[in-house]
């Protein structure tokens, strides 16, 4: 099976936030939660870069390691998913996550943490593929339909790439060698303990 | 005339375009980037991570600007999560297990050697009021909530390994979810209990010279000599200060976790969680010893917090100075402890 990853080419991202909007719309993400966000580094200074960031679906995912109720699992495509049935909303995955991916709806006692919500790589959850229950809890399951995550599919500058890591690494390498520069595969070293050398 | 000018204009445009295309091709063939490299000063992820490190500290976060309202999401990468994971997965369970199992083992060994500490000369049959109802309310409010908080907290640290395989994921989630509610709501009662204890007992828990004598004689735990003590002996004062300082520290760290991002940022939340866990396991170990000596470990001790009245012989044995002072006041056996 594929090893699915995200790659954001920061030299192409124009901070249009369409990935953020597409994600919210495609997955009916609740109010106050952003599964994906665009962060601008060195804003207004030389070397300004924007990076679209969501769950990176890490190798040896920290969230899964620290979860007190063991609600995470990794799919055959190496996508890190979790069960909202089992999640208790303790917040531990958020402390551990290097990318700030886990989000909590402001429900439950003290309005602080409901059941965690994060990027599913448009791959739904533990419920049956493409079922209504899955759609309601996790959003769409585009992977089961043979499609890639919508954020990457509709990226206007093709800055955000999703797919098997060999394929997207190859695309990125080709780009960098053609244009002569590249600021790196953001977050890869942290998420996968490897990066793309070009 | 107009047509002539237009054709001249066209020719000029074509010539310019041709020059651009040709020079562009030439550049592309030589493998050189176009005249200006727009990212000559661009940063690479690794450089930025290094550059943003505060001097003399560990890995820091890469932070930028976001245009969504959730400003805390401007932290792009925070490698400190790795350290937190290490503490949560390795350090805390390791020291927690040592502290709790070590204390239990020590108590068993102590019981086997020393046995139940008896009242010298047996119970007298006369009792003296040691803790009035307000004292006992504060004690049991704190004690009962502490046990619930400790069990629900230990479940978060050890439950996945010990309990989850036994009862299955659904039951374990139901239990842990209930534990979270108990932990969050029970904390308020616990904090109130600690405040009551400070108000009721602080004045009798100021360390004094008698405590040094008490500790130098092993507090009567080792040997049969019972050093004189006031209302609270050295050991009880230690318990008091552990509960007060520990309880306040657990409250501060706990409430900053219960209301995320109200008091602190992600780094602060990680630190609060580490401190909360490490302080809590330490307190569990100390309280285990307290429970032991207040129940099975010593004859007559439980009555102090159980009924509130203790046997006079027990009081003379363990709190000679307090009995003297109480009787000096001439109020006799029916007077509550001051």
């Amino acid at each position: 099976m594929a090893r699915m990853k995200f790659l954001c080419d920061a030299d192409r991202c124009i901070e249009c936030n369409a990935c953020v909007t597409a994600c919210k719309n495609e997955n009916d993400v609740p109010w106050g939660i952003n599964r994906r966000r665009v962060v601008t580094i060195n804003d207004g200074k030389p070397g300004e870069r924007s990076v679209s960031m969501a769950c990176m679906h890490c190798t040896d995912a920290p969230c899964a390691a620290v979860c007190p109720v063991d609600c995470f699992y990794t799919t055959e495509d190496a996508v890190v998913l979790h069960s909202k049935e089992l999640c208790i909303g303790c917040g531990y995955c958020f402390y551990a996550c290097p990318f700030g991916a886990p989000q909590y709806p402001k429900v439950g006692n003290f309005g602080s943490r409901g059941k965690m919500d994060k990027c599913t790589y448009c791959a739904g959850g533990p419920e049956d593929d493409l079922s209504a229950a899955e759609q309601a809890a996790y959003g769409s399951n585009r992977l089961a339909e043979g499609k890639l995550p919508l954020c990457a599919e509709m990226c206007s500058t093709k800055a955000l790439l999703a797919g098997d890591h060999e394929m997207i690494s190859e695309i990125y390498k080709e780009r960098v060698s053609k244009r002569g520069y590249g600021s790196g595969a953001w977050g890869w070293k942290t998420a996968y303990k490897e990066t793309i050398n070009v | 005339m107009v047509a002539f000018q237009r054709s001249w204009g066209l020719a000029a445009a074509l010539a310019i375009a041709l020059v651009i295309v040709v020079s562009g091709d030439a550049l592309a063939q030589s493998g050189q980037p176009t005249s200006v490299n727009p990212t000559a000063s661009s940063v690479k992820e690794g450089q930025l991570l290094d550059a943003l490190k505060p001097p003399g500290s560990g890995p820091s976060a890469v932070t930028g600007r976001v245009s969504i309202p959730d400003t805390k999401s401007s932290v792009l990468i925070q490698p400190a999560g790795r350290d937190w994971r290490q503490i949560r997965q390795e350090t805390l369970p390791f020291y927690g297990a040592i502290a709790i199992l070590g204390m239990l083992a020590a108590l068993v060994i102590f019981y086997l050697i020393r046995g139940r500490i008896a009242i010298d000369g047996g119970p007298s049959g006369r009792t003296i009021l040691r803790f009035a109802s307000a004292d006992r309310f504060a004690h049991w409010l704190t004690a009962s909530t502490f046990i619930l908080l400790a069990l629900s907290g230990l479940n978060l640290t050890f439950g996945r390994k010990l309990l989850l395989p036994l009862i299955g994921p659904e039951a374990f989630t139901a239990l842990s979810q209930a534990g979270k509610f108990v932990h969050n709501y029970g904390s308020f009662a616990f904090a109130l209990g600690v405040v009551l204890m400070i108000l009721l007992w602080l004045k009798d828990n100021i360390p004094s010279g008698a405590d040094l004598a008490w500790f130098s004689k092993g507090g009567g735990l080792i040997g049969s000599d019972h050093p004189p003590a006031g209302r609270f002996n050295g050991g009880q004062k230690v318990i008091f200060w552990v509960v007060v300082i520990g309880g306040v520290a657990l409250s501060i760290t706990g409430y900053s976790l219960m209301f995320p991002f109200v008091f602190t940022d992600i780094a602060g939340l990680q630190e609060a969680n580490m401190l909360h866990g490490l302080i809590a396991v330490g307190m569990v170990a100390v309280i285990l010893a307290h429970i032991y000596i207040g129940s099975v470990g010593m004859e007559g001790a439980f009555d102090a917090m159980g009924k509130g009245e203790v046997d006079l012989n027990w009081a003379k044995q363990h709190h000679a100075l307090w009995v003297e002072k109480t009787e000096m006041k001439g109020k006799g056996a029916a007077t509550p402890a001051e």
Side-chain angles (χ1 to χ4, degrees), chain A residues 17 37 40 43 49 60 64-67 86 89 95 97-98 182 187, chain B residues 39 42 44-45 65 67 73 75 78 85 88-89 160 173 180 270:
Chain A
N17 277 294
R37 66 199 193 275
T40 304
D43 187 26
R49 284 293 173 275
D60 181 25
V66 301
C67 177
L86 297 180
Y95 307 148
C97 179
Chain B
T39 58
S42 87
K44 297 218 191 279
E45 181 195 2
R65 174 190 59 78
S67 48
S73 71
V75 178
Q78 56 101 11
R85 171 182 175 175
R88 150 130 183 93
Q89 296 301 97
R160 179 170 164 179
T173 279
K180 182 187 154 187
Q270 288 164 343

PDB file of all heavy atoms in Angstrom, chain A residues 17 37 40 43 49 60 64-67 86 89 95 97-98 182 187, chain B residues 39 42 44-45 65 67 73 75 78 85 88-89 160 173 180 270:
ATOM      1  N   ASN A  17      -5.535  30.463   1.394  1.00  0.00           N
ATOM      2  CA  ASN A  17      -6.406  29.822   2.389  1.00  0.00           C
ATOM      3  C   ASN A  17      -7.547  29.015   1.757  1.00  0.00           C
ATOM      4  O   ASN A  17      -8.509  28.664   2.447  1.00  0.00           O
ATOM      5  CB  ASN A  17      -6.981  30.843   3.377  1.00  0.00           C
ATOM      6  CG  ASN A  17      -6.011  31.141   4.500  1.00  0.00           C
ATOM      7  OD1 ASN A  17      -5.707  30.279   5.323  1.00  0.00           O
ATOM      8  ND2 ASN A  17      -5.483  32.354   4.528  1.00  0.00           N
ATOM      9  N   ARG A  37      -4.581  24.843   8.347  1.00  0.00           N
ATOM     10  CA  ARG A  37      -4.387  26.283   8.470  1.00  0.00           C
ATOM     11  C   ARG A  37      -3.156  26.677   7.675  1.00  0.00           C
ATOM     12  O   ARG A  37      -2.326  25.830   7.354  1.00  0.00           O
ATOM     13  CB  ARG A  37      -4.192  26.666   9.935  1.00  0.00           C
ATOM     14  CG  ARG A  37      -2.909  26.109  10.513  1.00  0.00           C
ATOM     15  CD  ARG A  37      -2.942  26.096  12.019  1.00  0.00           C
ATOM     16  NE  ARG A  37      -1.630  25.855  12.607  1.00  0.00           N
ATOM     17  CZ  ARG A  37      -1.104  24.658  12.822  1.00  0.00           C
ATOM     18  NH1 ARG A  37      -1.751  23.567  12.449  1.00  0.00           N
ATOM     19  NH2 ARG A  37       0.086  24.521  13.383  1.00  0.00           N
ATOM     20  N   THR A  40       2.059  31.958   8.080  1.00  0.00           N
ATOM     21  CA  THR A  40       3.047  32.744   7.343  1.00  0.00           C
ATOM     22  C   THR A  40       4.213  33.055   8.260  1.00  0.00           C
ATOM     23  O   THR A  40       4.048  33.649   9.322  1.00  0.00           O
ATOM     24  CB  THR A  40       2.403  34.034   6.813  1.00  0.00           C
ATOM     25  OG1 THR A  40       1.267  33.669   6.029  1.00  0.00           O
ATOM     26  CG2 THR A  40       3.380  34.807   5.961  1.00  0.00           C
ATOM     27  N   ASP A  43       6.589  37.117   8.298  1.00  0.00           N
ATOM     28  CA  ASP A  43       5.575  37.905   7.599  1.00  0.00           C
ATOM     29  C   ASP A  43       6.083  39.321   7.338  1.00  0.00           C
ATOM     30  O   ASP A  43       6.495  40.031   8.258  1.00  0.00           O
ATOM     31  CB  ASP A  43       4.307  37.953   8.480  1.00  0.00           C
ATOM     32  CG  ASP A  43       3.162  38.611   7.752  1.00  0.00           C
ATOM     33  OD1 ASP A  43       3.162  38.580   6.512  1.00  0.00           O
ATOM     34  OD2 ASP A  43       2.276  39.158   8.427  1.00  0.00           O
ATOM     35  N   ARG A  49       7.569  33.151   3.982  1.00  0.00           N
ATOM     36  CA  ARG A  49       7.050  31.921   3.402  1.00  0.00           C
ATOM     37  C   ARG A  49       5.721  31.569   4.071  1.00  0.00           C
ATOM     38  O   ARG A  49       5.577  31.746   5.283  1.00  0.00           O
ATOM     39  CB  ARG A  49       8.023  30.757   3.637  1.00  0.00           C
ATOM     40  CG  ARG A  49       9.251  30.769   2.747  1.00  0.00           C
ATOM     41  CD  ARG A  49       8.877  30.514   1.295  1.00  0.00           C
ATOM     42  NE  ARG A  49      10.021  30.695   0.406  1.00  0.00           N
ATOM     43  CZ  ARG A  49      10.404  31.862  -0.083  1.00  0.00           C
ATOM     44  NH1 ARG A  49       9.757  32.963   0.231  1.00  0.00           N
ATOM     45  NH2 ARG A  49      11.443  31.935  -0.892  1.00  0.00           N
ATOM     46  N   ASP A  60       5.320   6.719  13.562  1.00  0.00           N
ATOM     47  CA  ASP A  60       5.396   6.638  15.033  1.00  0.00           C
ATOM     48  C   ASP A  60       4.724   7.869  15.650  1.00  0.00           C
ATOM     49  O   ASP A  60       5.337   8.656  16.356  1.00  0.00           O
ATOM     50  CB  ASP A  60       6.858   6.531  15.495  1.00  0.00           C
ATOM     51  CG  ASP A  60       6.992   6.428  17.013  1.00  0.00           C
ATOM     52  OD1 ASP A  60       6.027   5.977  17.644  1.00  0.00           O
ATOM     53  OD2 ASP A  60       8.046   6.815  17.544  1.00  0.00           O
ATOM     54  N   ALA A  64      -0.762   9.067  18.986  1.00  0.00           N
ATOM     55  CA  ALA A  64      -1.159   7.679  19.250  1.00  0.00           C
ATOM     56  C   ALA A  64      -0.402   7.117  20.447  1.00  0.00           C
ATOM     57  O   ALA A  64      -0.939   6.344  21.231  1.00  0.00           O
ATOM     58  CB  ALA A  64      -0.887   6.828  18.018  1.00  0.00           C
ATOM     59  N   ALA A  65       0.868   7.551  20.590  1.00  0.00           N
ATOM     60  CA  ALA A  65       1.674   7.030  21.691  1.00  0.00           C
ATOM     61  C   ALA A  65       1.158   7.507  23.037  1.00  0.00           C
ATOM     62  O   ALA A  65       1.121   6.745  23.998  1.00  0.00           O
ATOM     63  CB  ALA A  65       3.136   7.454  21.505  1.00  0.00           C
ATOM     64  N   VAL A  66       0.749   8.786  23.124  1.00  0.00           N
ATOM     65  CA  VAL A  66       0.408   9.337  24.440  1.00  0.00           C
ATOM     66  C   VAL A  66      -1.069   9.170  24.786  1.00  0.00           C
ATOM     67  O   VAL A  66      -1.456   9.412  25.932  1.00  0.00           O
ATOM     68  CB  VAL A  66       0.780  10.830  24.544  1.00  0.00           C
ATOM     69  CG1 VAL A  66       2.262  11.024  24.303  1.00  0.00           C
ATOM     70  CG2 VAL A  66      -0.051  11.684  23.607  1.00  0.00           C
ATOM     71  N   CYS A  67      -1.912   8.756  23.838  1.00  0.00           N
ATOM     72  CA  CYS A  67      -3.349   8.688  24.111  1.00  0.00           C
ATOM     73  C   CYS A  67      -3.634   7.736  25.278  1.00  0.00           C
ATOM     74  O   CYS A  67      -3.261   6.562  25.225  1.00  0.00           O
ATOM     75  CB  CYS A  67      -4.097   8.214  22.870  1.00  0.00           C
ATOM     76  SG  CYS A  67      -5.867   8.029  23.175  1.00  0.00           S
ATOM     77  N   LEU A  86     -14.127   6.416  21.193  1.00  0.00           N
ATOM     78  CA  LEU A  86     -13.231   6.093  22.299  1.00  0.00           C
ATOM     79  C   LEU A  86     -12.579   7.327  22.913  1.00  0.00           C
ATOM     80  O   LEU A  86     -12.213   7.304  24.086  1.00  0.00           O
ATOM     81  CB  LEU A  86     -12.138   5.119  21.824  1.00  0.00           C
ATOM     82  CG  LEU A  86     -12.633   3.748  21.355  1.00  0.00           C
ATOM     83  CD1 LEU A  86     -11.451   2.886  20.917  1.00  0.00           C
ATOM     84  CD2 LEU A  86     -13.405   3.024  22.450  1.00  0.00           C
ATOM     85  N   GLY A  89     -11.381  13.274  25.129  1.00  0.00           N
ATOM     86  CA  GLY A  89     -11.142  14.720  25.130  1.00  0.00           C
ATOM     87  C   GLY A  89     -10.231  15.174  26.246  1.00  0.00           C
ATOM     88  O   GLY A  89     -10.511  16.175  26.902  1.00  0.00           O
ATOM     89  N   TYR A  95      -0.892  18.184  23.376  1.00  0.00           N
ATOM     90  CA  TYR A  95       0.405  18.519  23.976  1.00  0.00           C
ATOM     91  C   TYR A  95       1.536  17.866  23.185  1.00  0.00           C
ATOM     92  O   TYR A  95       2.614  18.421  23.051  1.00  0.00           O
ATOM     93  CB  TYR A  95       0.505  18.023  25.428  1.00  0.00           C
ATOM     94  CG  TYR A  95      -0.598  18.451  26.350  1.00  0.00           C
ATOM     95  CD1 TYR A  95      -1.008  17.633  27.392  1.00  0.00           C
ATOM     96  CD2 TYR A  95      -1.231  19.674  26.193  1.00  0.00           C
ATOM     97  CE1 TYR A  95      -2.021  18.011  28.255  1.00  0.00           C
ATOM     98  CE2 TYR A  95      -2.248  20.055  27.045  1.00  0.00           C
ATOM     99  CZ  TYR A  95      -2.641  19.221  28.073  1.00  0.00           C
ATOM    100  OH  TYR A  95      -3.637  19.587  28.917  1.00  0.00           O
ATOM    101  N   CYS A  97       1.487  16.697  19.942  1.00  0.00           N
ATOM    102  CA  CYS A  97       1.547  16.903  18.491  1.00  0.00           C
ATOM    103  C   CYS A  97       2.485  18.051  18.132  1.00  0.00           C
ATOM    104  O   CYS A  97       2.336  19.159  18.627  1.00  0.00           O
ATOM    105  CB  CYS A  97       0.159  17.204  17.936  1.00  0.00           C
ATOM    106  SG  CYS A  97       0.198  17.505  16.158  1.00  0.00           S
ATOM    107  N   PRO A  98       3.481  17.815  17.244  1.00  0.00           N
ATOM    108  CA  PRO A  98       4.383  18.898  16.854  1.00  0.00           C
ATOM    109  C   PRO A  98       3.697  19.943  15.967  1.00  0.00           C
ATOM    110  O   PRO A  98       4.203  21.040  15.807  1.00  0.00           O
ATOM    111  CB  PRO A  98       5.478  18.187  16.060  1.00  0.00           C
ATOM    112  CG  PRO A  98       5.244  16.725  16.223  1.00  0.00           C
ATOM    113  CD  PRO A  98       3.814  16.547  16.591  1.00  0.00           C
ATOM    114  N   GLY A 182      14.508  25.813  -3.212  1.00  0.00           N
ATOM    115  CA  GLY A 182      13.391  25.191  -2.503  1.00  0.00           C
ATOM    116  C   GLY A 182      13.656  25.266  -1.011  1.00  0.00           C
ATOM    117  O   GLY A 182      14.770  25.041  -0.564  1.00  0.00           O
ATOM    118  N   GLY A 187       8.210  20.208   7.844  1.00  0.00           N
ATOM    119  CA  GLY A 187       7.651  19.289   8.827  1.00  0.00           C
ATOM    120  C   GLY A 187       8.029  17.835   8.597  1.00  0.00           C
ATOM    121  O   GLY A 187       7.762  17.005   9.452  1.00  0.00           O
TER     122      GLY A 187
ATOM    123  N   THR B  39      14.410  33.936  -4.074  1.00  0.00           N
ATOM    124  CA  THR B  39      14.500  33.309  -2.755  1.00  0.00           C
ATOM    125  C   THR B  39      15.929  33.245  -2.251  1.00  0.00           C
ATOM    126  O   THR B  39      16.269  32.394  -1.449  1.00  0.00           O
ATOM    127  CB  THR B  39      13.929  31.887  -2.806  1.00  0.00           C
ATOM    128  OG1 THR B  39      14.677  31.191  -3.787  1.00  0.00           O
ATOM    129  CG2 THR B  39      12.471  31.875  -3.117  1.00  0.00           C
ATOM    130  N   SER B  42      15.731  33.298   1.216  1.00  0.00           N
ATOM    131  CA  SER B  42      14.685  32.473   1.816  1.00  0.00           C
ATOM    132  C   SER B  42      15.282  31.552   2.875  1.00  0.00           C
ATOM    133  O   SER B  42      16.465  31.231   2.856  1.00  0.00           O
ATOM    134  CB  SER B  42      13.977  31.640   0.759  1.00  0.00           C
ATOM    135  OG  SER B  42      14.675  30.443   0.560  1.00  0.00           O
ATOM    136  N   LYS B  44      15.370  28.026   5.146  1.00  0.00           N
ATOM    137  CA  LYS B  44      15.024  26.610   5.152  1.00  0.00           C
ATOM    138  C   LYS B  44      14.504  26.250   6.526  1.00  0.00           C
ATOM    139  O   LYS B  44      14.835  26.892   7.529  1.00  0.00           O
ATOM    140  CB  LYS B  44      16.264  25.782   4.817  1.00  0.00           C
ATOM    141  CG  LYS B  44      16.785  26.065   3.412  1.00  0.00           C
ATOM    142  CD  LYS B  44      17.279  24.799   2.763  1.00  0.00           C
ATOM    143  CE  LYS B  44      18.045  25.042   1.491  1.00  0.00           C
ATOM    144  NZ  LYS B  44      17.253  25.253   0.318  1.00  0.00           N
ATOM    145  N   GLU B  45      13.694  25.219   6.558  1.00  0.00           N
ATOM    146  CA  GLU B  45      13.035  24.843   7.801  1.00  0.00           C
ATOM    147  C   GLU B  45      14.032  24.635   8.935  1.00  0.00           C
ATOM    148  O   GLU B  45      13.868  25.154  10.031  1.00  0.00           O
ATOM    149  CB  GLU B  45      12.235  23.564   7.562  1.00  0.00           C
ATOM    150  CG  GLU B  45      11.498  23.094   8.781  1.00  0.00           C
ATOM    151  CD  GLU B  45      11.017  21.665   8.637  1.00  0.00           C
ATOM    152  OE1 GLU B  45      11.301  21.033   7.606  1.00  0.00           O
ATOM    153  OE2 GLU B  45      10.370  21.188   9.558  1.00  0.00           O
ATOM    154  N   ARG B  65       2.231  33.839  11.417  1.00  0.00           N
ATOM    155  CA  ARG B  65       0.977  34.573  11.524  1.00  0.00           C
ATOM    156  C   ARG B  65      -0.101  33.773  10.793  1.00  0.00           C
ATOM    157  O   ARG B  65       0.163  33.175   9.763  1.00  0.00           O
ATOM    158  CB  ARG B  65       1.125  35.948  10.854  1.00  0.00           C
ATOM    159  CG  ARG B  65      -0.149  36.755  10.781  1.00  0.00           C
ATOM    160  CD  ARG B  65       0.026  37.970   9.891  1.00  0.00           C
ATOM    161  NE  ARG B  65       0.401  37.646   8.527  1.00  0.00           N
ATOM    162  CZ  ARG B  65      -0.467  37.203   7.613  1.00  0.00           C
ATOM    163  NH1 ARG B  65      -1.730  37.019   7.912  1.00  0.00           N
ATOM    164  NH2 ARG B  65      -0.054  36.922   6.387  1.00  0.00           N
ATOM    165  N   SER B  67      -4.304  33.905   9.417  1.00  0.00           N
ATOM    166  CA  SER B  67      -5.388  34.849   9.170  1.00  0.00           C
ATOM    167  C   SER B  67      -6.717  34.333   9.690  1.00  0.00           C
ATOM    168  O   SER B  67      -7.722  35.017   9.569  1.00  0.00           O
ATOM    169  CB  SER B  67      -5.480  35.155   7.672  1.00  0.00           C
ATOM    170  OG  SER B  67      -5.457  33.955   6.942  1.00  0.00           O
ATOM    171  N   SER B  73      -3.128  28.782  16.690  1.00  0.00           N
ATOM    172  CA  SER B  73      -2.710  27.900  15.598  1.00  0.00           C
ATOM    173  C   SER B  73      -1.559  28.509  14.802  1.00  0.00           C
ATOM    174  O   SER B  73      -1.109  27.925  13.831  1.00  0.00           O
ATOM    175  CB  SER B  73      -3.882  27.587  14.677  1.00  0.00           C
ATOM    176  OG  SER B  73      -4.240  28.727  13.939  1.00  0.00           O
ATOM    177  N   VAL B  75       1.351  28.680  15.829  1.00  0.00           N
ATOM    178  CA  VAL B  75       2.527  27.847  16.090  1.00  0.00           C
ATOM    179  C   VAL B  75       2.561  26.764  15.014  1.00  0.00           C
ATOM    180  O   VAL B  75       1.678  25.916  14.956  1.00  0.00           O
ATOM    181  CB  VAL B  75       2.471  27.200  17.488  1.00  0.00           C
ATOM    182  CG1 VAL B  75       3.680  26.297  17.706  1.00  0.00           C
ATOM    183  CG2 VAL B  75       2.422  28.275  18.566  1.00  0.00           C
ATOM    184  N   GLN B  78       6.100  22.636  16.851  1.00  0.00           N
ATOM    185  CA  GLN B  78       6.636  22.767  18.214  1.00  0.00           C
ATOM    186  C   GLN B  78       7.277  21.440  18.620  1.00  0.00           C
ATOM    187  O   GLN B  78       6.621  20.520  19.077  1.00  0.00           O
ATOM    188  CB  GLN B  78       5.534  23.215  19.202  1.00  0.00           C
ATOM    189  CG  GLN B  78       4.288  22.350  19.270  1.00  0.00           C
ATOM    190  CD  GLN B  78       4.280  21.432  20.476  1.00  0.00           C
ATOM    191  OE1 GLN B  78       5.091  21.569  21.383  1.00  0.00           O
ATOM    192  NE2 GLN B  78       3.368  20.466  20.454  1.00  0.00           N
ATOM    193  N   ARG B  85       6.272  14.049  25.422  1.00  0.00           N
ATOM    194  CA  ARG B  85       5.949  12.637  25.197  1.00  0.00           C
ATOM    195  C   ARG B  85       6.877  11.731  25.990  1.00  0.00           C
ATOM    196  O   ARG B  85       6.445  10.754  26.605  1.00  0.00           O
ATOM    197  CB  ARG B  85       6.074  12.338  23.699  1.00  0.00           C
ATOM    198  CG  ARG B  85       5.979  10.862  23.360  1.00  0.00           C
ATOM    199  CD  ARG B  85       6.166  10.654  21.874  1.00  0.00           C
ATOM    200  NE  ARG B  85       6.192   9.234  21.539  1.00  0.00           N
ATOM    201  CZ  ARG B  85       6.252   8.779  20.298  1.00  0.00           C
ATOM    202  NH1 ARG B  85       6.272   9.622  19.294  1.00  0.00           N
ATOM    203  NH2 ARG B  85       6.280   7.496  20.064  1.00  0.00           N
ATOM    204  N   ARG B  88       5.819  11.831  29.578  1.00  0.00           N
ATOM    205  CA  ARG B  88       4.541  11.146  29.780  1.00  0.00           C
ATOM    206  C   ARG B  88       4.675   9.630  29.642  1.00  0.00           C
ATOM    207  O   ARG B  88       4.071   8.876  30.381  1.00  0.00           O
ATOM    208  CB  ARG B  88       3.510  11.675  28.778  1.00  0.00           C
ATOM    209  CG  ARG B  88       2.456  10.667  28.379  1.00  0.00           C
ATOM    210  CD  ARG B  88       1.046  11.173  28.490  1.00  0.00           C
ATOM    211  NE  ARG B  88       0.087  10.139  28.165  1.00  0.00           N
ATOM    212  CZ  ARG B  88      -0.479   9.336  29.056  1.00  0.00           C
ATOM    213  NH1 ARG B  88      -0.193   9.441  30.332  1.00  0.00           N
ATOM    214  NH2 ARG B  88      -1.350   8.426  28.679  1.00  0.00           N
ATOM    215  N   GLN B  89       5.500   9.202  28.676  1.00  0.00           N
ATOM    216  CA  GLN B  89       5.569   7.770  28.371  1.00  0.00           C
ATOM    217  C   GLN B  89       6.610   7.027  29.194  1.00  0.00           C
ATOM    218  O   GLN B  89       6.484   5.838  29.413  1.00  0.00           O
ATOM    219  CB  GLN B  89       5.858   7.546  26.879  1.00  0.00           C
ATOM    220  CG  GLN B  89       4.770   8.045  25.945  1.00  0.00           C
ATOM    221  CD  GLN B  89       3.440   7.389  26.205  1.00  0.00           C
ATOM    222  OE1 GLN B  89       2.600   7.949  26.898  1.00  0.00           O
ATOM    223  NE2 GLN B  89       3.222   6.201  25.686  1.00  0.00           N
ATOM    224  N   ARG B 160      -3.970   2.532  30.391  1.00  0.00           N
ATOM    225  CA  ARG B 160      -3.861   1.954  29.048  1.00  0.00           C
ATOM    226  C   ARG B 160      -3.092   0.640  29.069  1.00  0.00           C
ATOM    227  O   ARG B 160      -3.400  -0.285  28.328  1.00  0.00           O
ATOM    228  CB  ARG B 160      -3.187   2.960  28.121  1.00  0.00           C
ATOM    229  CG  ARG B 160      -2.998   2.457  26.702  1.00  0.00           C
ATOM    230  CD  ARG B 160      -2.548   3.584  25.799  1.00  0.00           C
ATOM    231  NE  ARG B 160      -2.005   3.077  24.555  1.00  0.00           N
ATOM    232  CZ  ARG B 160      -1.548   3.846  23.571  1.00  0.00           C
ATOM    233  NH1 ARG B 160      -1.575   5.143  23.695  1.00  0.00           N
ATOM    234  NH2 ARG B 160      -1.053   3.316  22.477  1.00  0.00           N
ATOM    235  N   THR B 173     -13.004   3.293  27.909  1.00  0.00           N
ATOM    236  CA  THR B 173     -13.336   4.673  27.569  1.00  0.00           C
ATOM    237  C   THR B 173     -14.437   5.201  28.488  1.00  0.00           C
ATOM    238  O   THR B 173     -14.352   6.330  28.985  1.00  0.00           O
ATOM    239  CB  THR B 173     -13.781   4.776  26.096  1.00  0.00           C
ATOM    240  OG1 THR B 173     -12.612   4.806  25.281  1.00  0.00           O
ATOM    241  CG2 THR B 173     -14.578   6.035  25.844  1.00  0.00           C
ATOM    242  N   LYS B 180     -12.654  11.482  33.971  1.00  0.00           N
ATOM    243  CA  LYS B 180     -12.358  12.871  33.591  1.00  0.00           C
ATOM    244  C   LYS B 180     -13.350  13.827  34.257  1.00  0.00           C
ATOM    245  O   LYS B 180     -12.957  14.872  34.786  1.00  0.00           O
ATOM    246  CB  LYS B 180     -12.415  13.004  32.068  1.00  0.00           C
ATOM    247  CG  LYS B 180     -12.073  14.401  31.561  1.00  0.00           C
ATOM    248  CD  LYS B 180     -12.305  14.521  30.061  1.00  0.00           C
ATOM    249  CE  LYS B 180     -12.588  15.955  29.665  1.00  0.00           C
ATOM    250  NZ  LYS B 180     -12.983  16.100  28.261  1.00  0.00           N
ATOM    251  N   GLN B 270       2.332  22.048  28.510  1.00  0.00           N
ATOM    252  CA  GLN B 270       3.168  20.848  28.630  1.00  0.00           C
ATOM    253  C   GLN B 270       3.855  20.809  29.982  1.00  0.00           C
ATOM    254  O   GLN B 270       3.867  19.773  30.655  1.00  0.00           O
ATOM    255  CB  GLN B 270       4.214  20.831  27.505  1.00  0.00           C
ATOM    256  CG  GLN B 270       3.617  20.532  26.145  1.00  0.00           C
ATOM    257  CD  GLN B 270       4.546  20.885  25.010  1.00  0.00           C
ATOM    258  OE1 GLN B 270       5.505  21.635  25.182  1.00  0.00           O
ATOM    259  NE2 GLN B 270       4.262  20.358  23.835  1.00  0.00           N
TER     260      GLN B 270
END
